[in-house]
Amino acid sequence: SQQGEEDPQALSIQEGENATMNCSYKTSINNLQWYRQNSGRGLVHLILIRSNEREKHSGRLRVTLDTSKKSSSLLITASRAADTASYFCATVTKGLTGGGNKLTFGTGTQLKVEL
Amino acid sequence: AAGVIQSPRHLIKEKRETATLKCYPIPRHDTVYWYQQGPGQDPQFLISFYEKMQSDKGSIPDRFSAQQFSDYHSELNMSSLELGDSALYFCASSSRDSPNYGYTFGSGTRLTVV
């Protein structure tokens, strides 16, 4: 099973609308990150929220984190066709040696923004 | 700014062959991670190296091995390839000194096993 599970798995909206994606995780985390991936391409880091933060903004992105519910949400406001991509949440847990903090990805939400 | 460089971008191999994927992390990043992403799947953690020592191990098959060299580049060696090994393989790097624990991913190597 995955550390992070996204909801919904697929989302289709019209340009200009807001898109909200949710993520749940199971274990204690250092931080939670959101990534974007265009089809078959690399993963692009969008935003990071630390475990002691509740909300963070970056441009049209707003991320919330509820550690009591082990959940996070990503809101994209005023969506554009170029926002069409898969969005993954990823949690950071400590590596065995404490030196490398590995990312564990959820299953992703496929967002389609239509004109 | 320099990014994480992976080579090759595409690789086609036959079953039972061997493949070697290379990753050049961002300069001064001390940790390298390898991920495998099957079609329509989420990225799965394979293995990581911190300061050239194996740091953590995920769902990496015994047929795969990896190492990080003195210049911090890393190689993922895959032997006795199977059809199911066809996937995108990503390398990422990070630094403990990065203020936001930033992870930078390479563009990936698309491996096709035929």
Side-chain angles (χ1 to χ4, degrees), chain A residues 5 12 16-17 19-20 27 31 33 35 38 40 42 47 53 57 59-60 67 69 72-73 75-76 100-102 110 112:
Chain A
E5 296 185 1
S12 183
E17 292 181 335
T20 300
T27 63
N31 62 64
Q33 304 179 29
Y35 286 80
N38 286 63
I47 193 167
E53 297 177 311
H57 297 253
R60 293 185 296 113
T67 52
K69 295 180 180 178
S72 174
S73 68
L75 168 68
I76 303 175
N101 297 315
K102 68 173 183 179
Q110 289 188 330
K112 183 175 182 181

Side-chain angles (χ1 to χ4, degrees), chain A residues 20-111:
Chain A
T20 300
M21 289 160 271
N22 302 300
C23 166
S24 61
Y25 58 92
K26 296 175 182 172
T27 63
S28 296
I29 61 172
N30 290 345
N31 62 64
L32 185 145
Q33 304 179 29
W34 285 89
Y35 286 80
R36 168 199 167 116
Q37 184 180 37
N38 286 63
S39 180
R41 308 292 286 275
L43 292 147
V44 177
H45 179 263
L46 294 176
I47 193 167
L48 177 151
I49 186 164
R50 298 179 188 276
S51 60
N52 62 353
E53 297 177 311
R54 293 295 166 259
E55 188 171 313
K56 201 162 184 180
H57 297 253
S58 177
R60 293 185 296 113
L61 305 179
R62 173 177 163 247
V63 170
T64 63
L65 179 65
D66 187 335
T67 52
S68 66
K69 295 180 180 178
K70 291 187 166 58
S71 67
S72 174
S73 68
L74 171 68
L75 168 68
I76 303 175
T77 60
S79 63
R80 306 166 181 167
D83 294 330
T84 295
S86 291
Y87 292 82
F88 293 90
C89 74
T91 53
V92 175
T93 54
K94 281 217 175 278
L96 292 174
T97 64
N101 297 315
K102 68 173 183 179
L103 278 172
T104 303
F105 285 88
T107 50
T109 293
Q110 289 188 330
L111 173 66

Side-chain angles (χ1 to χ4, degrees), chain B residues 40-107:
Chain B
Q41 304 295 312
D42 57 289
Q44 291 287 319
F45 172 72
L46 293 177
I47 195 167
S48 63
F49 293 87
Y50 169 65
E51 286 292 346
K52 294 162 279 184
M53 299 290 289
Q54 183 180 307
S55 171
D56 203 352
K57 201 169 182 180
S59 50
I60 183 169
D62 292 339
R63 299 177 290 108
F64 295 6
S65 65
Q67 57 182 323
Q68 187 176 29
F69 294 86
S70 57
D71 64 352
Y72 288 87
H73 94 272
S74 179
E75 294 184 2
L76 178 65
N77 298 293
M78 310 158 69
S79 63
S80 302
L81 288 169
E82 301 173 357
L83 295 178
D85 295 329
S86 296
L88 266 172
Y89 290 84
F90 290 106
C91 171
S93 72
S94 71
S95 169
R96 293 182 70 189
D97 294 331
S98 296
N100 294 312
Y101 301 97
Y103 297 73
T104 304
F105 281 80
S107 298

